Every structure is written in structure tokens, then in C-alpha cells.
Amino acid sequence: MVERVTATNEALELIELLKQKHGPVMFHQSGGCCDGSSPMCYPEGDLFLGDQDVLLGEIGGSKFYMHKNQFDYWSHTQLIIDVVEGRGGMFSLEGVEGKRFLTRSRAFTSEETKELQQQK
């Protein structure tokens, strides 16, 4: 099964740390307003989702969402959530850890695109 969102081992380790400190967490891919285009991590339920938010999948057992308008642009890519040193979005939980989540991406192959279309 093709995954629309995955995470590096470093990201998965940070997710586990955040879950230990804050309980269950969720992600939303920021669209560039206040915090750039960063994956934002919140305590589960702290971000109110709208009917235009799309569930892309889960990373580290945590749901990952993106607004439909942004998804329309990124639907041909797999998001790969990584971690780098430094401060990220001021509303995201990992900021106090001196790290920030970062979205990398790659285009789906034609075979993966066909599989995604069949998964609908």
C-alpha cells in the first residue's frame, strides 16, 4: 500500500518523545501563514479540523492532515517528515526541544499513482 506521508527514524523518535511528554499528538501541514510550510505538531484535539482538512495517513501512530486546497497541489507527492536542529513553528510542540519537523517530498512513480487511484 502506498503511503502519502512517511517519517524518518529521527522524526519517529521525536514523535515518541513528544507523546511521552504531552500524550497523543496530531499533525497538520501548515499552509504558509504564520509558520511557513512546516508540519505542525499539536496535542491531539487541540487543533479544530474543518471539513476541508484531508487525512493523509499516520506517522508514529499520529494522524497527519492537510487542507484540501494544499492537497490538490501536493497530491502527486509523498511527504517525508524529517527533523532538523533549530526552532520551527512557534505553535508546534517540538519547538522547546531545539528541533523542528521538516517536510521533504518526492514525486510518486506512475505505478504508485495508479495504486493510489485504486485505493480511493
Side-chain angles (χ1 to χ4, degrees):
M1 183 168 143
V2 178
E3 297 177 318
R4 289 197 172 274
V5 61
T6 64
T8 64
N9 288 335
E10 293 81 5
L12 293 173
E13 289 173 11
L14 182 54
I15 292 168
E16 280 306 310
L17 173 69
L18 295 174
K19 286 168 38 177
Q20 289 173 13
K21 288 185 171 188
H22 303 281
V25 298
M26 63 183 286
F27 287 85
H28 194 280
Q29 178 65 42
S30 176
C33 172
C34 301
D35 292 305
S37 295
S38 300
M40 304 293 290
C41 182
Y42 304 100
E44 190 174 80
D46 268 19
L47 178 68
F48 293 109
L49 298 169
D51 60 357
Q52 295 292 303
D53 289 306
V54 176
L55 175 63
L56 296 184
E58 291 188 7
I59 54 173
S62 301
K63 293 182 179 178
F64 194 102
Y65 298 89
M66 174 184 282
H67 190 275
K68 183 185 180 319
N69 290 343
Q70 194 173 8
F71 175 75
D72 290 342
Y73 287 111
W74 289 35
S75 63
H76 67 284
T77 61
Q78 181 180 59
L79 303 185
I80 304 156
I81 307 306
D82 200 358
V83 173
V84 294
E85 298 293 323
R87 300 265 313 159
M90 63 185 193
F91 302 115
S92 194
L93 289 175
E94 80 280 4
V96 298
E97 306 300 327
K99 298 179 181 199
R100 66 183 181 96
F101 289 109
L102 176 76
T103 302
R104 301 183 192 282
S105 64
R106 68 167 187 88
F108 287 119
T109 65
S110 57
E111 292 81 20
E112 289 171 321
T113 300
K114 288 177 190 174
E115 187 174 332
L116 284 167
Q117 290 169 346
Q118 293 173 352
Q119 289 176 9
K120 290 183 181 181

